[in-house]
Amino acid sequence: MKRILILMMVLGVVKGTMAQNYGNFQKRVRLGFNLDPMISIMNPQESGVSRTAAKGGLGFGLMADFSLNPEGNYAIASGFNVVLGGSKLKYDAGKGLSDYNALPSEYNFKLTHIQIPVALKLKTNENETGMAFWGQFGTYFAFPVSARTNVTTATQSYDKVNILSDINRINIGMLIGAGVDYRLGDNLTGTVGLIYQNGFIDVTRNAKWNDGRVNLNSFALRLGVYF
């Protein structure tokens, strides 16, 4: 009987500790979902390659803010996003993939990346209307999971060419953004902002494309909700 009582006391202490830790976790971590309509821009840096059009895109996924202070004014912003983007580029003869570079050609890129942002996020205290302003600065890591292009020359066109093996396997860049949070309820907060991403890595493998550096940049409207 004595052992049972001791075991029940230990279980009670463990349960209380777990409940307290979970409560602290809830206070320090904000989770939510985002939907980001965007403009995607592939930016060539070498002559012989030019951008003919940007492309509308979309990002969506999970947001996670890890607070660095109890009030939530400082946080590490991260998450897990699927990003659909691309652009249209025109290549002079002799540039681009070897199967299509005999003539000048236009490539309509359709790229899908899995992206993990890591940024320092600063946020004001809520005002009397439940509104708070935020800004963030950091980086992101993106990994292509799908890459296709339509290739058009003066004599022929090729649709949905799989170029995943011709794309660099990681993209890293700068991320900056700003916006506003608005409290919608006790456990619900909406967020709206603008996000700019500037890729540092050459998207197309230069040995395959002979096109110098091509960066992938984007402007996105952040629409999200935290629970």
Side-chain angles (χ1 to χ4, degrees):
M1 186 67 179
K2 185 176 181 181
R3 291 181 179 179
I4 295 176
L5 290 174
I6 293 174
L7 180 60
M8 291 178 64
M9 291 174 61
V10 171
L11 290 176
V13 171
V14 171
K15 183 178 179 180
T17 302
M18 291 178 65
Q20 182 178 5
N21 290 337
Y22 180 71
N24 291 334
F25 176 81
Q26 283 186 310
K27 292 178 182 179
R28 289 299 183 98
V29 178
R30 292 202 308 168
L31 298 177
F33 296 102
N34 63 284
L35 182 69
D36 301 343
M38 60 188 292
I39 298 296
S40 179
I41 304 166
M42 295 178 71
N43 189 25
Q45 307 291 322
E46 187 174 290
S47 61
V49 186
S50 59
R51 183 177 65 252
T52 58
K55 181 182 287 292
L58 185 68
F60 57 91
L62 172 71
M63 301 181 295
D65 288 359
F66 302 90
S67 296
L68 301 178
N69 71 321
E71 293 77 19
N73 301 114
Y74 316 103
I76 299 297
S78 188
F80 183 88
N81 289 292
V82 178
V83 180
L84 313 175
S87 210
K88 289 184 178 181
L89 300 182
K90 182 178 180 181
Y91 284 76
D92 289 352
K95 292 186 177 295
L97 295 176
S98 58
D99 290 344
Y100 318 106
N101 66 3
L103 297 172
S105 55
E106 184 179 70
Y107 290 71
N108 184 0
F109 290 87
K110 300 175 182 178
L111 309 177
T112 302
H113 286 81
I114 297 296
Q115 187 178 100
I116 300 173
V118 181
L120 176 63
K121 187 173 185 178
L122 307 180
K123 190 179 72 166
T124 66
N125 293 324
E126 290 184 5
N127 59 23
E128 62 277 3
T129 65
M131 186 178 295
F133 297 93
W134 57 265
Q136 62 180 9
F137 176 83
T139 187
Y140 63 90
F141 304 89
F143 308 92
V145 294
S146 175
R148 296 186 180 275
T149 185
N150 297 334
V151 185
T152 304
T153 69
T155 60
Q156 200 166 358
S157 63
Y158 308 85
D159 294 335
K160 298 181 180 179
V161 179
N162 189 343
I163 56 170
L164 185 59
S165 62
D166 305 312
I167 298 296
N168 272 319
R169 303 309 297 163
I170 186 171
N171 191 18
I172 302 171
M174 178 185 69
L175 179 155
I176 58 176
V180 60
D181 286 357
Y182 188 78
R183 184 168 293 281
L184 302 174
D186 290 340
N187 297 308
L188 193 65
T189 300
T191 186
V192 178
L194 294 174
I195 306 291
Y196 171 66
Q197 295 186 163
N198 180 30
F200 294 153
I201 306 296
D202 182 16
V203 176
T204 56
R205 293 185 176 183
N206 198 42
K208 296 284 190 73
W209 297 80
N210 188 31
D211 60 356
R213 180 183 295 275
V214 178
N215 301 107
L216 179 61
N217 306 329
S218 67
F219 295 90
L221 174 65
R222 167 60 51 87
L223 303 173
V225 59
Y226 287 100
F227 297 94

